[in-house]
PDB file of all heavy atoms in Angstrom:
ATOM      1  N   ARG C  48     -26.787  -5.590 -61.410  1.00  0.00           N
ATOM      2  CA  ARG C  48     -25.489  -6.199 -61.094  1.00  0.00           C
ATOM      3  C   ARG C  48     -25.661  -7.711 -61.107  1.00  0.00           C
ATOM      4  O   ARG C  48     -26.548  -8.250 -60.456  1.00  0.00           O
ATOM      5  CB  ARG C  48     -25.007  -5.749 -59.709  1.00  0.00           C
ATOM      6  CG  ARG C  48     -23.682  -6.349 -59.293  1.00  0.00           C
ATOM      7  CD  ARG C  48     -23.202  -5.844 -57.947  1.00  0.00           C
ATOM      8  NE  ARG C  48     -22.865  -4.436 -58.029  1.00  0.00           N
ATOM      9  CZ  ARG C  48     -23.527  -3.448 -57.426  1.00  0.00           C
ATOM     10  NH1 ARG C  48     -24.527  -3.721 -56.641  1.00  0.00           N
ATOM     11  NH2 ARG C  48     -23.164  -2.196 -57.570  1.00  0.00           N
ATOM     12  N   ILE C  49     -24.816  -8.384 -61.869  1.00  0.00           N
ATOM     13  CA  ILE C  49     -24.813  -9.846 -61.922  1.00  0.00           C
ATOM     14  C   ILE C  49     -23.522 -10.320 -61.266  1.00  0.00           C
ATOM     15  O   ILE C  49     -22.435  -9.884 -61.645  1.00  0.00           O
ATOM     16  CB  ILE C  49     -24.873 -10.370 -63.369  1.00  0.00           C
ATOM     17  CG1 ILE C  49     -26.086  -9.806 -64.109  1.00  0.00           C
ATOM     18  CG2 ILE C  49     -24.906 -11.887 -63.367  1.00  0.00           C
ATOM     19  CD1 ILE C  49     -26.137 -10.189 -65.587  1.00  0.00           C
ATOM     20  N   THR C  50     -23.659 -11.191 -60.293  1.00  0.00           N
ATOM     21  CA  THR C  50     -22.485 -11.781 -59.652  1.00  0.00           C
ATOM     22  C   THR C  50     -22.379 -13.230 -60.110  1.00  0.00           C
ATOM     23  O   THR C  50     -23.298 -14.024 -59.892  1.00  0.00           O
ATOM     24  CB  THR C  50     -22.611 -11.726 -58.113  1.00  0.00           C
ATOM     25  OG1 THR C  50     -22.830 -10.375 -57.711  1.00  0.00           O
ATOM     26  CG2 THR C  50     -21.344 -12.263 -57.451  1.00  0.00           C
ATOM     27  N   PHE C  51     -21.274 -13.536 -60.769  1.00  0.00           N
ATOM     28  CA  PHE C  51     -21.010 -14.893 -61.233  1.00  0.00           C
ATOM     29  C   PHE C  51     -19.888 -15.495 -60.410  1.00  0.00           C
ATOM     30  O   PHE C  51     -18.908 -14.814 -60.118  1.00  0.00           O
ATOM     31  CB  PHE C  51     -20.459 -14.902 -62.677  1.00  0.00           C
ATOM     32  CG  PHE C  51     -21.396 -14.418 -63.716  1.00  0.00           C
ATOM     33  CD1 PHE C  51     -21.321 -13.124 -64.175  1.00  0.00           C
ATOM     34  CD2 PHE C  51     -22.323 -15.277 -64.258  1.00  0.00           C
ATOM     35  CE1 PHE C  51     -22.165 -12.673 -65.161  1.00  0.00           C
ATOM     36  CE2 PHE C  51     -23.176 -14.833 -65.249  1.00  0.00           C
ATOM     37  CZ  PHE C  51     -23.099 -13.532 -65.708  1.00  0.00           C
ATOM     38  N   VAL C  52     -20.027 -16.738 -60.098  1.00  0.00           N
ATOM     39  CA  VAL C  52     -18.886 -17.511 -59.630  1.00  0.00           C
ATOM     40  C   VAL C  52     -18.637 -18.522 -60.735  1.00  0.00           C
ATOM     41  O   VAL C  52     -19.532 -19.307 -61.085  1.00  0.00           O
ATOM     42  CB  VAL C  52     -19.158 -18.200 -58.284  1.00  0.00           C
ATOM     43  CG1 VAL C  52     -17.971 -19.061 -57.878  1.00  0.00           C
ATOM     44  CG2 VAL C  52     -19.452 -17.153 -57.217  1.00  0.00           C
ATOM     45  N   VAL C  53     -17.458 -18.436 -61.325  1.00  0.00           N
ATOM     46  CA  VAL C  53     -17.149 -19.296 -62.466  1.00  0.00           C
ATOM     47  C   VAL C  53     -16.009 -20.236 -62.110  1.00  0.00           C
ATOM     48  O   VAL C  53     -15.112 -19.890 -61.350  1.00  0.00           O
ATOM     49  CB  VAL C  53     -16.784 -18.476 -63.727  1.00  0.00           C
ATOM     50  CG1 VAL C  53     -17.988 -17.706 -64.225  1.00  0.00           C
ATOM     51  CG2 VAL C  53     -15.629 -17.544 -63.471  1.00  0.00           C
ATOM     52  N   ASP C  54     -16.089 -21.416 -62.670  1.00  0.00           N
ATOM     53  CA  ASP C  54     -15.031 -22.407 -62.513  1.00  0.00           C
ATOM     54  C   ASP C  54     -14.074 -22.215 -63.671  1.00  0.00           C
ATOM     55  O   ASP C  54     -14.399 -22.534 -64.803  1.00  0.00           O
ATOM     56  CB  ASP C  54     -15.636 -23.807 -62.524  1.00  0.00           C
ATOM     57  CG  ASP C  54     -14.582 -24.886 -62.428  1.00  0.00           C
ATOM     58  OD1 ASP C  54     -13.389 -24.563 -62.217  1.00  0.00           O
ATOM     59  OD2 ASP C  54     -14.953 -26.059 -62.570  1.00  0.00           O
ATOM     60  N   VAL C  55     -12.927 -21.645 -63.388  1.00  0.00           N
ATOM     61  CA  VAL C  55     -11.996 -21.358 -64.480  1.00  0.00           C
ATOM     62  C   VAL C  55     -11.174 -22.586 -64.866  1.00  0.00           C
ATOM     63  O   VAL C  55     -10.328 -22.490 -65.740  1.00  0.00           O
ATOM     64  CB  VAL C  55     -11.083 -20.160 -64.166  1.00  0.00           C
ATOM     65  CG1 VAL C  55     -11.884 -18.889 -64.086  1.00  0.00           C
ATOM     66  CG2 VAL C  55     -10.275 -20.392 -62.916  1.00  0.00           C
ATOM     67  N   ALA C  56     -11.460 -23.722 -64.231  1.00  0.00           N
ATOM     68  CA  ALA C  56     -10.849 -24.948 -64.725  1.00  0.00           C
ATOM     69  C   ALA C  56     -11.454 -25.292 -66.083  1.00  0.00           C
ATOM     70  O   ALA C  56     -10.812 -25.939 -66.905  1.00  0.00           O
ATOM     71  CB  ALA C  56     -11.054 -26.085 -63.733  1.00  0.00           C
ATOM     72  N   SER C  57     -12.697 -24.815 -66.310  1.00  0.00           N
ATOM     73  CA  SER C  57     -13.358 -25.102 -67.584  1.00  0.00           C
ATOM     74  C   SER C  57     -12.935 -24.135 -68.682  1.00  0.00           C
ATOM     75  O   SER C  57     -13.079 -24.428 -69.853  1.00  0.00           O
ATOM     76  CB  SER C  57     -14.883 -25.060 -67.426  1.00  0.00           C
ATOM     77  OG  SER C  57     -15.323 -23.763 -67.115  1.00  0.00           O
ATOM     78  N   ALA C  58     -12.408 -22.970 -68.331  1.00  0.00           N
ATOM     79  CA  ALA C  58     -11.933 -21.987 -69.311  1.00  0.00           C
ATOM     80  C   ALA C  58     -11.100 -20.942 -68.579  1.00  0.00           C
ATOM     81  O   ALA C  58     -11.379 -20.624 -67.435  1.00  0.00           O
ATOM     82  CB  ALA C  58     -13.115 -21.303 -69.981  1.00  0.00           C
ATOM     83  N   PRO C  59     -10.064 -20.401 -69.222  1.00  0.00           N
ATOM     84  CA  PRO C  59      -9.263 -19.366 -68.572  1.00  0.00           C
ATOM     85  C   PRO C  59     -10.111 -18.130 -68.249  1.00  0.00           C
ATOM     86  O   PRO C  59     -10.974 -17.743 -69.029  1.00  0.00           O
ATOM     87  CB  PRO C  59      -8.194 -19.034 -69.608  1.00  0.00           C
ATOM     88  CG  PRO C  59      -8.204 -20.151 -70.569  1.00  0.00           C
ATOM     89  CD  PRO C  59      -9.585 -20.743 -70.530  1.00  0.00           C
ATOM     90  N   LEU C  60      -9.830 -17.529 -67.101  1.00  0.00           N
ATOM     91  CA  LEU C  60     -10.616 -16.386 -66.651  1.00  0.00           C
ATOM     92  C   LEU C  60     -10.552 -15.225 -67.643  1.00  0.00           C
ATOM     93  O   LEU C  60     -11.572 -14.592 -67.915  1.00  0.00           O
ATOM     94  CB  LEU C  60     -10.136 -15.933 -65.274  1.00  0.00           C
ATOM     95  CG  LEU C  60     -10.956 -14.826 -64.637  1.00  0.00           C
ATOM     96  CD1 LEU C  60     -12.396 -15.269 -64.420  1.00  0.00           C
ATOM     97  CD2 LEU C  60     -10.322 -14.389 -63.333  1.00  0.00           C
ATOM     98  N   ASP C  61      -9.375 -14.955 -68.203  1.00  0.00           N
ATOM     99  CA  ASP C  61      -9.281 -13.824 -69.136  1.00  0.00           C
ATOM    100  C   ASP C  61     -10.150 -14.051 -70.366  1.00  0.00           C
ATOM    101  O   ASP C  61     -10.695 -13.117 -70.937  1.00  0.00           O
ATOM    102  CB  ASP C  61      -7.828 -13.520 -69.508  1.00  0.00           C
ATOM    103  CG  ASP C  61      -7.148 -14.656 -70.239  1.00  0.00           C
ATOM    104  OD1 ASP C  61      -7.568 -15.818 -70.061  1.00  0.00           O
ATOM    105  OD2 ASP C  61      -6.194 -14.383 -70.988  1.00  0.00           O
ATOM    106  N   GLN C  62     -10.320 -15.298 -70.778  1.00  0.00           N
ATOM    107  CA  GLN C  62     -11.200 -15.598 -71.911  1.00  0.00           C
ATOM    108  C   GLN C  62     -12.655 -15.312 -71.548  1.00  0.00           C
ATOM    109  O   GLN C  62     -13.414 -14.772 -72.354  1.00  0.00           O
ATOM    110  CB  GLN C  62     -11.021 -17.051 -72.323  1.00  0.00           C
ATOM    111  CG  GLN C  62     -11.716 -17.391 -73.619  1.00  0.00           C
ATOM    112  CD  GLN C  62     -11.500 -18.836 -74.025  1.00  0.00           C
ATOM    113  OE1 GLN C  62     -10.842 -19.610 -73.343  1.00  0.00           O
ATOM    114  NE2 GLN C  62     -12.078 -19.201 -75.144  1.00  0.00           N
ATOM    115  N   VAL C  63     -13.037 -15.657 -70.333  1.00  0.00           N
ATOM    116  CA  VAL C  63     -14.391 -15.378 -69.865  1.00  0.00           C
ATOM    117  C   VAL C  63     -14.633 -13.874 -69.885  1.00  0.00           C
ATOM    118  O   VAL C  63     -15.650 -13.389 -70.401  1.00  0.00           O
ATOM    119  CB  VAL C  63     -14.608 -15.939 -68.435  1.00  0.00           C
ATOM    120  CG1 VAL C  63     -15.957 -15.505 -67.878  1.00  0.00           C
ATOM    121  CG2 VAL C  63     -14.481 -17.451 -68.419  1.00  0.00           C
ATOM    122  N   VAL C  64     -13.678 -13.105 -69.332  1.00  0.00           N
ATOM    123  CA  VAL C  64     -13.824 -11.649 -69.266  1.00  0.00           C
ATOM    124  C   VAL C  64     -13.870 -11.046 -70.673  1.00  0.00           C
ATOM    125  O   VAL C  64     -14.708 -10.179 -70.954  1.00  0.00           O
ATOM    126  CB  VAL C  64     -12.677 -11.036 -68.427  1.00  0.00           C
ATOM    127  CG1 VAL C  64     -12.689  -9.516 -68.516  1.00  0.00           C
ATOM    128  CG2 VAL C  64     -12.788 -11.494 -66.974  1.00  0.00           C
ATOM    129  N   LYS C  65     -13.016 -11.497 -71.571  1.00  0.00           N
ATOM    130  CA  LYS C  65     -13.013 -10.965 -72.942  1.00  0.00           C
ATOM    131  C   LYS C  65     -14.344 -11.221 -73.644  1.00  0.00           C
ATOM    132  O   LYS C  65     -14.868 -10.358 -74.350  1.00  0.00           O
ATOM    133  CB  LYS C  65     -11.868 -11.587 -73.749  1.00  0.00           C
ATOM    134  CG  LYS C  65     -10.516 -11.025 -73.412  1.00  0.00           C
ATOM    135  CD  LYS C  65      -9.433 -11.717 -74.222  1.00  0.00           C
ATOM    136  CE  LYS C  65      -8.066 -11.232 -73.783  1.00  0.00           C
ATOM    137  NZ  LYS C  65      -6.976 -11.988 -74.428  1.00  0.00           N
ATOM    138  N   GLN C  66     -14.894 -12.399 -73.452  1.00  0.00           N
ATOM    139  CA  GLN C  66     -16.172 -12.722 -74.084  1.00  0.00           C
ATOM    140  C   GLN C  66     -17.296 -11.865 -73.510  1.00  0.00           C
ATOM    141  O   GLN C  66     -18.145 -11.364 -74.242  1.00  0.00           O
ATOM    142  CB  GLN C  66     -16.488 -14.208 -73.923  1.00  0.00           C
ATOM    143  CG  GLN C  66     -15.540 -15.113 -74.670  1.00  0.00           C
ATOM    144  CD  GLN C  66     -15.572 -14.890 -76.173  1.00  0.00           C
ATOM    145  OE1 GLN C  66     -16.619 -14.646 -76.763  1.00  0.00           O
ATOM    146  NE2 GLN C  66     -14.413 -14.942 -76.813  1.00  0.00           N
ATOM    147  N   LEU C  67     -17.280 -11.682 -72.181  1.00  0.00           N
ATOM    148  CA  LEU C  67     -18.298 -10.822 -71.560  1.00  0.00           C
ATOM    149  C   LEU C  67     -18.183  -9.391 -72.067  1.00  0.00           C
ATOM    150  O   LEU C  67     -19.179  -8.716 -72.319  1.00  0.00           O
ATOM    151  CB  LEU C  67     -18.145 -10.829 -70.036  1.00  0.00           C
ATOM    152  CG  LEU C  67     -18.731 -12.009 -69.301  1.00  0.00           C
ATOM    153  CD1 LEU C  67     -18.302 -11.982 -67.837  1.00  0.00           C
ATOM    154  CD2 LEU C  67     -20.249 -12.013 -69.403  1.00  0.00           C
ATOM    155  N   ASP C  68     -16.953  -8.912 -72.189  1.00  0.00           N
ATOM    156  CA  ASP C  68     -16.711  -7.532 -72.604  1.00  0.00           C
ATOM    157  C   ASP C  68     -17.225  -7.261 -74.019  1.00  0.00           C
ATOM    158  O   ASP C  68     -17.481  -6.120 -74.388  1.00  0.00           O
ATOM    159  CB  ASP C  68     -15.220  -7.225 -72.487  1.00  0.00           C
ATOM    160  CG  ASP C  68     -14.937  -5.736 -72.456  1.00  0.00           C
ATOM    161  OD1 ASP C  68     -15.763  -4.983 -71.884  1.00  0.00           O
ATOM    162  OD2 ASP C  68     -13.898  -5.324 -73.009  1.00  0.00           O
ATOM    163  N   LYS C  69     -17.377  -8.286 -74.823  1.00  0.00           N
ATOM    164  CA  LYS C  69     -17.881  -8.119 -76.196  1.00  0.00           C
ATOM    165  C   LYS C  69     -19.387  -7.866 -76.239  1.00  0.00           C
ATOM    166  O   LYS C  69     -19.902  -7.377 -77.229  1.00  0.00           O
ATOM    167  CB  LYS C  69     -17.561  -9.363 -77.029  1.00  0.00           C
ATOM    168  CG  LYS C  69     -16.090  -9.518 -77.352  1.00  0.00           C
ATOM    169  CD  LYS C  69     -15.871 -10.761 -78.179  1.00  0.00           C
ATOM    170  CE  LYS C  69     -14.394 -10.956 -78.466  1.00  0.00           C
ATOM    171  NZ  LYS C  69     -14.155 -12.204 -79.216  1.00  0.00           N
ATOM    172  N   LEU C  70     -20.087  -8.227 -75.159  1.00  0.00           N
ATOM    173  CA  LEU C  70     -21.535  -8.035 -75.152  1.00  0.00           C
ATOM    174  C   LEU C  70     -21.861  -6.557 -74.995  1.00  0.00           C
ATOM    175  O   LEU C  70     -21.347  -5.884 -74.108  1.00  0.00           O
ATOM    176  CB  LEU C  70     -22.185  -8.846 -74.024  1.00  0.00           C
ATOM    177  CG  LEU C  70     -22.091 -10.357 -74.170  1.00  0.00           C
ATOM    178  CD1 LEU C  70     -22.699 -11.039 -72.951  1.00  0.00           C
ATOM    179  CD2 LEU C  70     -22.773 -10.833 -75.439  1.00  0.00           C
ATOM    180  N   ILE C  71     -22.751  -6.061 -75.846  1.00  0.00           N
ATOM    181  CA  ILE C  71     -23.048  -4.625 -75.894  1.00  0.00           C
ATOM    182  C   ILE C  71     -23.700  -4.112 -74.611  1.00  0.00           C
ATOM    183  O   ILE C  71     -23.495  -2.971 -74.218  1.00  0.00           O
ATOM    184  CB  ILE C  71     -23.913  -4.300 -77.130  1.00  0.00           C
ATOM    185  CG1 ILE C  71     -23.948  -2.800 -77.330  1.00  0.00           C
ATOM    186  CG2 ILE C  71     -25.315  -4.860 -76.989  1.00  0.00           C
ATOM    187  CD1 ILE C  71     -24.383  -2.395 -78.717  1.00  0.00           C
ATOM    188  N   ASN C  72     -24.441  -4.940 -73.898  1.00  0.00           N
ATOM    189  CA  ASN C  72     -25.147  -4.488 -72.689  1.00  0.00           C
ATOM    190  C   ASN C  72     -24.292  -4.550 -71.426  1.00  0.00           C
ATOM    191  O   ASN C  72     -24.739  -4.158 -70.359  1.00  0.00           O
ATOM    192  CB  ASN C  72     -26.414  -5.306 -72.468  1.00  0.00           C
ATOM    193  CG  ASN C  72     -27.360  -5.195 -73.640  1.00  0.00           C
ATOM    194  OD1 ASN C  72     -27.506  -6.158 -74.397  1.00  0.00           O
ATOM    195  ND2 ASN C  72     -27.959  -4.047 -73.833  1.00  0.00           N
ATOM    196  N   VAL C  73     -23.072  -5.041 -71.549  1.00  0.00           N
ATOM    197  CA  VAL C  73     -22.176  -5.119 -70.394  1.00  0.00           C
ATOM    198  C   VAL C  73     -21.461  -3.784 -70.247  1.00  0.00           C
ATOM    199  O   VAL C  73     -20.812  -3.304 -71.174  1.00  0.00           O
ATOM    200  CB  VAL C  73     -21.163  -6.273 -70.554  1.00  0.00           C
ATOM    201  CG1 VAL C  73     -20.103  -6.222 -69.462  1.00  0.00           C
ATOM    202  CG2 VAL C  73     -21.905  -7.608 -70.532  1.00  0.00           C
ATOM    203  N   VAL C  74     -21.582  -3.171 -69.073  1.00  0.00           N
ATOM    204  CA  VAL C  74     -21.014  -1.847 -68.824  1.00  0.00           C
ATOM    205  C   VAL C  74     -19.670  -1.942 -68.109  1.00  0.00           C
ATOM    206  O   VAL C  74     -18.738  -1.204 -68.411  1.00  0.00           O
ATOM    207  CB  VAL C  74     -22.006  -1.008 -67.972  1.00  0.00           C
ATOM    208  CG1 VAL C  74     -21.424   0.342 -67.607  1.00  0.00           C
ATOM    209  CG2 VAL C  74     -23.328  -0.852 -68.699  1.00  0.00           C
ATOM    210  N   GLU C  75     -19.561  -2.874 -67.156  1.00  0.00           N
ATOM    211  CA  GLU C  75     -18.337  -2.974 -66.356  1.00  0.00           C
ATOM    212  C   GLU C  75     -18.176  -4.411 -65.874  1.00  0.00           C
ATOM    213  O   GLU C  75     -19.153  -5.066 -65.531  1.00  0.00           O
ATOM    214  CB  GLU C  75     -18.444  -2.033 -65.154  1.00  0.00           C
ATOM    215  CG  GLU C  75     -17.259  -2.050 -64.218  1.00  0.00           C
ATOM    216  CD  GLU C  75     -17.487  -1.138 -63.016  1.00  0.00           C
ATOM    217  OE1 GLU C  75     -17.700   0.063 -63.218  1.00  0.00           O
ATOM    218  OE2 GLU C  75     -17.467  -1.649 -61.895  1.00  0.00           O
ATOM    219  N   ILE C  76     -16.924  -4.867 -65.828  1.00  0.00           N
ATOM    220  CA  ILE C  76     -16.620  -6.214 -65.339  1.00  0.00           C
ATOM    221  C   ILE C  76     -15.530  -6.075 -64.290  1.00  0.00           C
ATOM    222  O   ILE C  76     -14.500  -5.441 -64.543  1.00  0.00           O
ATOM    223  CB  ILE C  76     -16.111  -7.135 -66.475  1.00  0.00           C
ATOM    224  CG1 ILE C  76     -17.108  -7.168 -67.620  1.00  0.00           C
ATOM    225  CG2 ILE C  76     -15.806  -8.529 -65.941  1.00  0.00           C
ATOM    226  CD1 ILE C  76     -16.547  -7.778 -68.902  1.00  0.00           C
TER     227      ILE C  76
END
Side-chain angles (χ1 to χ4, degrees):
R48 179 178 293 112
I49 304 175
T50 304
F51 295 98
V52 177
V53 293
D54 177 7
V55 294
S57 66
L60 185 61
D61 63 335
Q62 189 179 1
V63 173
V64 172
K65 284 178 185 173
Q66 294 298 322
L67 280 171
D68 199 35
K69 289 180 182 177
L70 294 177
I71 192 162
N72 301 108
V73 171
V74 176
E75 179 183 301
I76 305 166

